Amino acid sequence: MSEQQQQYWPIFTEKDEIKTFWNKKPINFVKQTISYQQLMKRISWKSNKPTEYEFLLSEEGVLFYKKNNKVKGYVQLNEDISLKLIDLKISNKKADAVKVIRIKRTKDIFLYIWNHDYQYTFQFLKYLCQFCFVQNLDELYTLQDVIGKGGFSKVYTLTPNIRLPNQPFNYAGKVYNKNELLSKKDLKKFYHFIRSECYILKRINFPYVLKLCEIIQLEELLILVTEYIKGGSLYQYLKERKRLSEIESTQILLKLALGLQQVHNLGYVHRDIKLENVLIDKDQLKLIDFGFAEKICRDRLVNGQGTAGYIAPEVFMKQPYQEVGDIFSLGVIFYSMLSGKAPFRSNTYDALLKLNKECQIEFSELRFPNVSQKTMYLLKAMLSKQPENRINLQDLLNQLTVCQILSPTNNMASTQSIVEGSVGISFNHLQSKNTLKSFYQNSQNSFTENHSQMSQQKPSKNLRDRRYKSQSLDKKGLLLKSSSFKPSLKNIYQIKIEQSDDNISITDLDQPIPYENLRFLQTSYQTLNCQKFI
């Protein structure tokens, strides 16, 4: 290995430039939230005499030790501090060799801690792994099957060799090989990419961003241990479904935007948002692969790499890549979900890059059937060619959270929640055929009554403007005739549905709502919330 290569492998090593292990300066211990504490024995690099102390770990990664209920010292843990389980011989007796945790800050400054019960030693190690890198694999995990491959890494399933209570049965391990990584021309760039990815994921604990559990640095391998998502990518999900509904697409977009907000708040941009970098499994959704993530630079373009078809147009103009660059890539995903097709398509890579650069995007109604005008406006704002005209993340979140279709904390909206949330009537009650018929007839009557009342009054200028704005125009600019079917739920809260033996039976309650009736209810819901019709 050349001298230059030695600078970039191992990726993680002890780099603290300190002369003592513990910080002795005063600290406000009361403000610390303790996540784990345990009585442990300690041997330091200065003394071989085992001494028992109480060790405490805060949620922010500060490790304290106390004696007689008084804080003696503390250290802020980070990715430049190593952990390793080793067998340490306490005395000359063979039986005295015990498993200890070595916490190492520099080549010469370290300490050993352990508990007489190995279960507590191992448990403490797992807590410490949240903040440091660890130099053990066999004591922690077993590598299983390959579940994915990247440009310079492979992803394996991992099973814990010692499973703690409430610990998952499986993890995913992104494995980098030393020889493959050192063969890269841009070794320095990849080194910083990996460091940035770990820095970001270690500091984000959010439902819609993949959780990095541990960093395992070995002599020949680097393994990033993450949570395991059983389902596939959003690309696979969309390929099976062809196209997603407006409701589901908007909800996925909101979750991704919330996850992206966490990244931007750290001062980083993702730079490789695409369908393949979103994992989805039932109600779970995770933004993954931060290999191209970098610190936000507003003065110049640091790196022009990205995935063709998702690259923000300003990158081709050598302009700085800022937060709105990620918004453009997010818009490509939103476009693909709503239409079932990518905005840029070609059989060759060069042609795809050219289309991406020109950024001529089709937004025709044929491409987006049953998509509201409000959503189309949002999509166009995300895919604006000029970054200064593109919607920013906060405004995007404001638009999405104001929308009544979903809320940021809910799971995927089910038909049941849609119906109950929009009309305020028990879903079980609606399962009766007669009740549903009554509900439908009343909704139509309410529209007829409201329409007749409105026809007697001269509409205001604002109402006329709104009506013309929402109706479609033909090629000559004339108003097209609106459909005669416009379900209205304005007075639905006032509907009184009588329950009687003739109206509802046990058999009726067990019957699901017919598909065509569900379609009516969903259309009514979208009408109220998306404001596609007036």
Side-chain angles (χ1 to χ4, degrees):
M1 192 163 58
S2 68
E3 185 176 340
Q4 182 184 8
Q5 289 175 328
Q6 289 178 359
Q7 298 178 41
Y8 305 117
W9 189 271
I11 302 293
F12 292 94
T13 186
E14 302 87 0
K15 291 183 178 179
D16 273 0
E17 297 180 359
I18 45 90
K19 295 181 179 180
T20 60
F21 190 94
W22 298 104
N23 191 333
K24 301 287 186 176
K25 294 179 181 179
I27 186 172
N28 191 342
F29 180 75
V30 178
K31 290 186 177 181
Q32 300 292 323
T33 304
I34 303 302
S35 60
Y36 190 81
Q37 61 187 85
Q38 187 61 249
L39 285 174
M40 308 283 283
K41 290 186 177 180
R42 187 195 82 179
I43 291 178
S44 71
W45 56 290
K46 288 183 176 180
S47 171
N48 288 328
K49 182 181 178 181
T51 308
E52 189 172 71
Y53 295 97
E54 183 181 15
F55 285 82
L56 306 96
L57 181 65
S58 76
E59 291 183 352
E60 294 75 25
V62 181
L63 179 64
F64 300 87
Y65 79 102
K66 295 171 70 176
K67 188 72 173 180
N68 299 325
N69 206 31
K70 182 180 179 181
V71 175
K72 305 288 288 183
Y74 62 93
V75 57
Q76 174 65 62
L77 303 178
N78 56 55
E79 297 87 355
D80 294 326
I81 297 177
S82 71
L83 307 169
K84 190 172 184 178
L85 272 176
I86 63 172
D87 292 312
L88 183 66
K89 202 170 184 181
I90 305 300
S91 68
N92 293 329
K93 296 180 181 179
K94 187 176 181 180
D96 285 339
V98 295
K99 284 278 187 186
V100 303
I101 304 171
R102 186 190 68 191
I103 308 177
K104 194 173 181 181
R105 296 194 67 176
T106 70
K107 181 181 178 181
D108 301 315
I109 300 178
F110 56 87
L111 59 82
Y112 303 110
I113 60 173
W114 73 96
N115 188 284
H116 68 279
D117 187 338
Y118 178 66
Q119 177 184 347
Y120 294 117
T121 302
F122 185 81
Q123 197 170 44
F124 200 16
L125 173 72
K126 295 293 286 184
Y127 274 89
L128 295 172
C129 283
Q130 298 176 72
F131 308 100
C132 309
F133 72 92
V134 63
Q135 295 175 315
N136 299 93
L137 174 62
D138 295 339
E139 290 83 352
L140 301 178
Y141 298 101
T142 298
L143 284 172
Q144 302 288 351
D145 301 327
V146 177
I147 56 176
K149 293 182 180 180
F152 42 91
S153 64
K154 294 180 181 179
V155 181
Y156 293 79
T157 52
L158 301 177
T159 54
N161 293 333
I162 299 177
R163 184 173 170 271
L164 299 175
N166 301 321
Q167 187 179 2
F169 288 95
N170 292 296
Y171 291 84
K174 188 175 183 179
V175 180
Y176 296 90
N177 182 279
K178 171 185 173 181
N179 294 329
E180 290 182 9
L181 205 59
L182 293 181
S183 66
K184 300 293 181 182
K185 292 182 180 179
D186 297 328
L187 178 58
K188 181 179 179 180
K189 186 183 295 183
F190 285 113
Y191 170 85
H192 289 294
F193 281 165
I194 295 171
R195 294 276 305 188
S196 294
E197 179 176 22
C198 294
Y199 178 88
I200 293 167
L201 293 180
K202 276 286 187 179
R203 284 156 182 80
I204 294 179
N205 185 14
F206 195 70
Y208 309 134
V209 177
L210 190 71
K211 181 177 177 59
L212 176 61
C213 304
E214 286 144 356
I215 301 170
I216 300 177
Q217 177 69 71
L218 307 176
E219 288 187 12
E220 300 293 327
L221 300 174
L222 171 67
I223 306 172
L224 307 185
V225 182
T226 68
E227 58 184 327
Y228 176 73
I229 306 299
K230 190 176 181 180
S233 69
L234 183 56
Y235 172 82
Q236 295 167 321
Y237 182 73
L238 184 57
K239 190 175 180 180
E240 293 172 0
R241 300 281 297 276
K242 306 300 181 185
R243 175 188 288 147
L244 305 185
S245 69
E246 182 177 351
I247 294 175
E248 187 175 8
S249 299
T250 309
Q251 189 157 23
I252 289 174
L253 176 64
L254 176 58
K255 291 181 178 182
L256 289 174
L258 288 168
L260 187 60
Q261 185 182 44
Q262 300 293 314
V263 182
H264 290 177
N265 287 345
L266 277 177
Y268 281 77
V269 282
H270 187 285
R271 288 190 56 254
D272 198 24
I273 295 174
K274 56 185 178 181
L275 290 167
E276 293 86 346
N277 283 345
V278 179
L279 296 181
I280 186 167
D281 179 34
K282 297 180 181 178
D283 292 340
Q284 286 188 304
L285 183 142
K286 304 286 181 179
L287 181 61
I288 68 167
D289 201 344
F290 290 74
F292 284 167
E294 66 185 19
K295 285 186 177 180
I296 299 169
C297 180
R298 307 196 186 280
D299 302 326
R300 59 187 175 85
L301 179 65
V302 177
N303 196 299
Q305 288 182 306
T307 300
Y310 291 87
I311 302 172
E314 57 267 27
V315 174
F316 296 100
M317 307 302 293
K318 307 298 182 183
Q319 296 176 7
Y321 190 103
Q322 302 184 60
E323 294 93 328
V324 289
D326 283 343
I327 296 297
F328 184 88
S329 303
L330 209 56
V332 174
I333 289 181
F334 197 33
Y335 186 105
S336 302
M337 291 190 295
L338 290 170
S339 69
K341 295 181 179 180
F344 313 111
R345 299 178 304 283
S346 179
N347 294 327
T348 65
Y349 180 80
D350 290 340
L352 181 60
L353 271 182
K354 183 180 179 182
L355 290 172
N356 194 165
K357 179 181 179 180
E358 293 172 350
C359 198
Q360 299 297 319
I361 303 175
E362 180 184 349
F363 293 104
S364 66
E365 290 187 13
L366 290 176
R367 179 61 57 86
F368 296 93
N370 303 318
V371 178
S372 68
Q373 293 177 3
K374 185 176 182 180
T375 296
M376 289 304 301
Y377 168 80
L378 197 62
L379 177 62
K380 291 176 183 178
M382 295 175 71
L383 291 174
S384 174
K385 185 175 182 179
Q386 302 301 326
E388 60 270 19
N389 297 331
R390 202 173 301 147
I391 190 171
N392 62 47
L393 183 57
Q394 189 55 58
D395 288 342
L396 174 63
L397 286 170
N398 291 341
Q399 291 288 332
L400 291 171
T401 51
V402 164
C403 181
Q404 297 298 311
I405 295 176
L406 44 89
S407 71
T409 56
N410 286 344
N411 294 326
M412 291 294 182
S414 64
T415 303
Q416 177 170 343
S417 65
I418 289 172
V419 174
E420 290 183 339
S422 60
V423 300
I425 298 175
S426 168
F427 187 77
N428 290 332
H429 190 65
L430 284 175
Q431 283 184 315
S432 164
K433 295 178 182 178
N434 292 334
T435 303
L436 187 62
K437 182 179 179 181
S438 173
F439 164 73
Y440 176 84
Q441 290 174 340
N442 274 279
S443 69
Q444 294 302 291
N445 292 338
S446 69
F447 169 73
T448 305
E449 292 168 4
N450 285 318
H451 183 71
S452 62
Q453 291 173 9
M454 289 176 63
S455 63
Q456 296 173 7
Q457 301 176 359
K458 185 177 180 180
S460 65
K461 184 178 184 300
N462 290 338
L463 182 60
R464 290 199 305 271
D465 291 343
R466 182 184 169 197
R467 183 186 301 272
Y468 292 138
K469 186 177 180 181
S470 64
Q471 288 178 321
S472 301
L473 301 177
D474 64 11
K475 293 182 179 179
K476 296 182 180 180
L478 300 176
L479 288 172
L480 294 174
K481 185 177 180 181
S482 301
S483 170
S484 59
F485 173 69
K486 285 189 177 181
S488 171
L489 301 180
K490 289 183 179 179
N491 296 333
I492 201 63
Y493 291 99
Q494 301 172 6
I495 295 176
K496 184 178 180 181
I497 303 176
E498 300 293 338
Q499 296 191 37
S500 66
D501 294 337
D502 295 333
N503 192 31
I504 299 176
S505 66
I506 299 298
T507 306
D508 285 332
L509 285 173
D510 294 335
Q511 294 295 323
I513 293 180
Y515 175 78
E516 60 272 13
N517 293 334
L518 284 178
R519 290 289 297 172
F520 158 70
L521 293 174
Q522 288 175 316
T523 302
S524 301
Y525 176 78
Q526 287 179 303
T527 300
L528 285 175
N529 292 286
C530 299
Q531 299 178 359
K532 184 172 182 179
F533 307 109
I534 59 170

